[in-house]
Every structure is written in C-alpha cells, then in structure tokens.
Amino acid sequence: MRERGAQLGMLASIDWARWDPTQADQAEVDAIEAPVMKFFAGITKREFLTEGHRREMLGYPVLTVADIATDPQLEARGFFAKVAGLAETFCGAFAIIDGERPALRHAPGTPFTAVAERDSKWTGGQS
Amino acid sequence: MTAVPQALASLKVLEFSGYAAGPHIGKLLANFGAQTIHVESSDRPDGFRIQYPPFKDNRPGYNRSGCFAFFNDSKYSVTVDLKKPAGIELAHRMAQWCDLIIENMRPGVMERLGLGYRTLAALNPRLVMLSTCNMGQSGPRADQPGFGSQLSALAGMCGMTGFPDRPPMLLYGPYIDYIASLLGSSAALAAVIKSRRDGTGVYLDVAQYECGLMFISAALQDYFATGRLAERCGNDDPVAVPHGAYPCSDDQWVTLSCWSDAEFAALAGAMRNPKLAAGPAFGTEAARREHKTDLDAIISAWTRTRSVDGVAETLQAAGVAAYPVVTMAGLFTDSQLHARRNFRVRRHPEMGDHCYCFPGFDLDEAPGDIVGPAPCLGADNDYVFREFVGLTEAEKKAYADKGVFG
C-alpha cells in the first residue's frame, strides 16, 4: 500500500511487531480493514494473485469458473484434460504421479491407449 | 481398541506435516491400523498445537489443542530437530523404516533439508512419498504459501456461496483440506499397493487447489460447454424449488427441498394443504420459482409452529428431503452418529477424556478404531526410536547428546 501511495489510515500508527490481533475489538478491526478494502478495490484479481504470490501473502482472490479455466498455474500443470473423441473439457486426474498426470480414461471397455500402457507397466502385465 | 488385526496393520507411515491436509491423511490411515509417526520438533511443533483454539480450559499449550487432537489421534509423536545434520541423518534412518511419507511443506523445503524424494528413494527404493500443498510442486505459483480457508476462494467455492447482492462467503473451516486429504489418502494407498506389487516407489504430487476443483467440476464443465458462469444464488437451486432453510418453533431451523412436482405435492400433503400443489401459483416448478417469496412465506408459517424434529420427521415420512440444521451440541446427541460410534472418547494425558471423530466409513471384517488419543509432543521418542527405527541405547544417547530430540 505504501508503494502505491495508498492512504494507510490507522494502519500507519500500528506497531505490527507488538500488535496482538487476539486483543483487538471489532471497532479496531473495522478501522484497520477500511483502508485495506479501499486499496483492494483498486486492483484486479489477477494483480492481487500475482503480487500476493510475489510477497508471499496468505491471501487469494475469489475466482469464478472463467478465471479458473484460464489460470496459468493450472495450465502449466496440465490440469484440464480432453478425452479423445469427446469435445468436452474435464478436470484431469487429481494427482501427478512420478511427474506425470495420468490421462483420463474412456468409458469402461474402451481403454485409453496411454492408460492401458501405464496400467500394464504398473501391473507387470497382470490384469 | 480392536481385538482383530486392522487392515493397515503392516503399513508404516512417517509424517513431516502439520495443520490439516497432511495430518488428516495420516489420521485416516492410523484409524485403520497404520503405524503413523508424526514428526515435529520443540522449536517447530505442528502449528495446530499452538495457533488455533480451542485449548483445554482455554489455556494454550503444546498438548492442550483440540484442533491438533482432531487431526492426530491414533499416532505416535516424535521430536527430531531437522536443522541439525544428525537430525537429518536420523530422518534418513526413519525413511528406511517406513513405507509411506506424507509431507505438506512448501515445495522445495524437503529437498533443501536433504529429505527430497530422490534422496530418500535412493535409501528406500520402495518408498511412497506424498507431497501436498496449496498449488502443487510445479507451476508459476508453486511456492505460494496459504491455508485451505482462503484456498476455497481461489477454487471457486466462495464465489458461488452467498447471496447475489452480497459479498462472497468464506466456508467454515479448511474445507478444501478435507477434499484433498480424502483424495490424498486414496492416492497414497493405491501407490502403496503398487509399491508392494513391484517393489518400486512412487512420488505423488497432490495440489489442494486442484483437488478442490473436483468439487466444482460440474460448474467448470458447464462453463467449458456453454460459457455459463455459476454465480451466488443464496439457498436457491437451479432445479429444486422450494429449496432452503425455514424457522421452527424451538428457535431451530429445518432445511428442505423438492425436486419434482410429486415431491412438492408430498410436502403440501404433509402440511395438510394439498390444494397448494394443485393450484396455478405453485403447481409447477416454473410457477413455484415465479412465486418463490410467497411460497417460502407459506412454508415458514407452517414450520414456525412446529419443532424442528417434528417437521423433519413429518417430511421425511412423506418422502420429502428434510433435515434439521444441527448445532455442534446437537451432533454429540445425534442418535444416528451415536449408533455408528462416530465420536469415541479417549483419555489424553493433559486434556483428559476427549471426543475423537471416527472416519465416515468402516470395514466389516477389520474394523478401524480411534487407536489412541492424540500424542503429546515427543511422547513416543523412546518407543519409536527403539522399537520401530531400531536404534541401540548407545545410538539413542549419541543422538540425544547432539540435541537431535529437541
């Protein structure tokens, strides 16, 4: 907030090394939150996410499904997946295993080739 | 305590984890017999021991946290100072003892400590290791720290919770941690099965963010298919109407929903007002939605003159989905939970008799249990290092002299 020249209000006078949130009453919390809310109202969700990450802040923006669908973090990890022959986009497997996100399966009886190969590797050829 | 061998009795688990997501995986496994060791140090105990109430008699202390107890029953606790080279050496010996390591530190921390998967797998080639954190081990924001209470906002849940003209609502507690830990425990068990089958280890990267998205996958798929944005709609539902919470005579609330005209007719019948379902104002789903405010007022007028249990029983008997809004106190007197022994009392050395929560599933032939209370910090150092890790008395003394058990 200081970097951007935002009005700090009550924040400016607090010794954060000594301030104990468990001792603050609601009026004090409201006074602290007021300039913070005003500041956040002037930045975008993406900006908050980027700057929050850079500053190691414990905070996240409230994302919509549209935001999530284009989140670079998910894209980098290959989270969303297609299944051959289907137009839809799906959530992928929930874990990355040995550096690889398992492919989604087709319906039972029509194994996805990559999955079949992986299954074979894991089971040693046993079904 | 159980009298028959538990399903996971041969599974050896080591936790370098704290707070909710990592320890909850270990708790689920421990409840079915896994020997689960929670590794901390006096300098860096699990954050739940010291940061979050409730505390016994409202006095904070390492061994007085109800929150820690909730996620750590049935485990052993050891203290190992991982800042000391000898502490890392001891951790390496523990890694050779175990089948599964669960860690939820920030990405890169385990590697920097000398406890990365490649290092440990070289010592124990059949080792399964599960790493779970907010963002996962890779990606541009992998190292972002955070807690589940806020992560549910990033994962779309908060944006869909609340009323359209009011701010998004945060969910109660670290909701997403429970999704990630249940998925994580299934992944860990699958990997252990694989490891036992072929003798080679597995490294699992479980991002809590991605696990949370599984919970809203229908909304995501709808967006991908139609471009429609799921939004806050209070207690409304796109299909069911009525769908909401209604006041009762005993200052309690009942929730109910009708998913078809037939169910609404059943509700009207239970209210002894069958004409309600036959008239033009409420006879169809579209009509009920159009006259929702009037309908909610009629239902509220009926529920307000009855007890919450009376309303729920009457509606359930009529085939209408209805449940009381239960308080924390109500959970502990719920006959269904009591019959299934959901809460089990175990005596804790400092907190005394304490209720622990059993998982919502069990095995007929090898039932799980709350095997013991949550451990006091470092309470099992002597037993674990002698009986499990196999240290001699001389080795234990040497590590103690180096301050490793601090």
Side-chain angles (χ1 to χ4, degrees), chain B residues 320-340:
Chain B
V320 177
Y323 277 120
V325 176
V326 177
T327 63
M328 288 298 122
L331 292 175
F332 286 95
T333 56
D334 184 280
S335 56
Q336 177 69 15
L337 294 175
H338 180 73
R340 289 177 60 82

Side-chain angles (χ1 to χ4, degrees), chain B residues 83-158:
Chain B
K83 291 179 182 169
K84 291 186 165 69
I88 298 302
E89 178 191 303
L90 180 56
H92 285 174
R93 290 189 67 166
M94 297 170 79
Q96 293 173 71
W97 163 83
C98 73
D99 304 300
L100 167 66
I101 288 178
I102 302 163
E103 68 92 7
N104 67 341
M105 299 189 192
R106 287 171 65 179
V109 171
M110 289 292 277
E111 282 81 0
R112 286 198 292 278
L113 287 170
L115 299 172
Y117 178 67
R118 287 183 183 171
T119 301
L120 299 183
L123 300 170
N124 178 359
R126 58 180 173 73
L127 178 69
V128 172
M129 184 160 160
L130 182 148
S131 294
T132 180
C133 61
N134 272 199
M135 293 290 115
Q137 302 299 306
S138 60
R141 299 197 310 272
D143 59 345
Q144 182 155 18
F147 285 109
S149 303
Q150 287 73 45
L151 185 58
S152 54
L154 195 76
M157 299 173 195
C158 299

Side-chain angles (χ1 to χ4, degrees), chain B residues 94-400:
Chain B
M94 297 170 79
Q96 293 173 71
W97 163 83
C98 73
D99 304 300
L100 167 66
I101 288 178
I102 302 163
E103 68 92 7
N104 67 341
M105 299 189 192
R106 287 171 65 179
V109 171
M110 289 292 277
E111 282 81 0
R112 286 198 292 278
L113 287 170
L115 299 172
Y117 178 67
R118 287 183 183 171
T119 301
L120 299 183
L123 300 170
N124 178 359
R126 58 180 173 73
L127 178 69
V128 172
M129 184 160 160
L130 182 148
S131 294
T132 180
C133 61
N134 272 199
M135 293 290 115
Q137 302 299 306
S138 60
R141 299 197 310 272
D143 59 345
Q144 182 155 18
F147 285 109
S149 303
Q150 287 73 45
L151 185 58
S152 54
L154 195 76
M157 299 173 195
C158 299
M160 291 190 278
T161 306
F163 289 86
D165 57 345
R166 297 187 204 167
M169 301 292 290
L170 270 66
L171 308 185
Y172 173 78
Y175 197 91
I176 207 165
D177 287 39
Y178 293 100
I179 301 172
S181 56
L182 286 166
L183 291 172
S185 59
S186 66
L189 285 176
V192 167
I193 291 169
K194 182 263 182 191
S195 169
R196 289 185 174 181
R197 184 181 286 156
D198 70 7
T200 65
V202 179
Y203 179 65
L204 299 165
D205 167 6
V206 177
Q208 294 149 20
Y209 178 28
E210 293 165 6
C211 290
L213 296 182
M214 298 292 168
F215 192 73
I216 64 156
S217 59
L220 280 164
Q221 219 169 327
D222 189 29
Y223 173 76
F224 282 125
T226 69
R228 191 164 35 229
L229 278 179
E231 293 176 334
R232 293 188 290 288
C233 57
N235 286 331
D236 290 352
D237 182 87
V239 178
V241 58
H243 184 281
Y246 301 88
C248 297
S249 63
D250 44 3
D251 287 332
Q252 305 290 314
W253 293 79
V254 68
T255 59
L256 64 88
S257 61
C258 293
W259 298 81
S260 66
D261 293 346
E263 286 190 8
F264 183 67
L267 171 64
M271 293 168 63
R272 299 188 184 283
N273 189 0
K275 290 181 181 172
L276 203 60
F282 307 116
T284 64
E285 183 261 336
R288 289 193 294 278
R289 197 171 296 283
E290 183 182 347
H291 302 109
K292 178 181 164 304
T293 304
D294 292 340
L295 179 58
D296 283 344
I298 292 169
I299 296 171
S300 294
W302 180 73
T303 58
R304 207 185 295 277
T305 60
R306 288 161 175 79
S307 71
V308 68
D309 288 338
V311 171
E313 286 171 18
T314 299
L315 295 185
Q316 287 171 13
V320 177
Y323 277 120
V325 176
V326 177
T327 63
M328 288 298 122
L331 292 175
F332 286 95
T333 56
D334 184 280
S335 56
Q336 177 69 15
L337 294 175
H338 180 73
R340 289 177 60 82
R341 300 183 62 224
N342 187 75
F343 299 112
R344 303 184 188 188
V345 176
R346 296 292 179 266
R347 185 155 294 176
H348 185 278
E350 286 198 32
M351 294 193 289
D353 286 352
H354 188 84
C355 264
Y356 294 89
C357 202
F358 188 71
F361 53 89
D362 205 352
L363 303 175
D364 279 351
E365 299 298 324
D369 202 357
I370 303 297
V371 179
C376 292
L377 182 64
D380 302 299
N381 279 353
D382 188 55
Y383 183 76
V384 164
F385 290 118
R386 185 181 66 241
E387 300 295 330
F388 292 172
V389 184
L391 297 189
T392 64
E393 289 302 316
E395 286 173 324
K396 274 200 314 182
K397 183 176 184 308
Y399 280 121

Side-chain angles (χ1 to χ4, degrees), chain A residues 12-32:
Chain A
S13 61
I14 294 176
D15 179 354
W16 295 103
R18 294 172 182 270
W19 189 71
D20 181 356
T22 65
Q23 301 301 312
D25 61 21
Q26 193 56 49
E28 187 180 356
V29 172
D30 290 346
I32 289 170

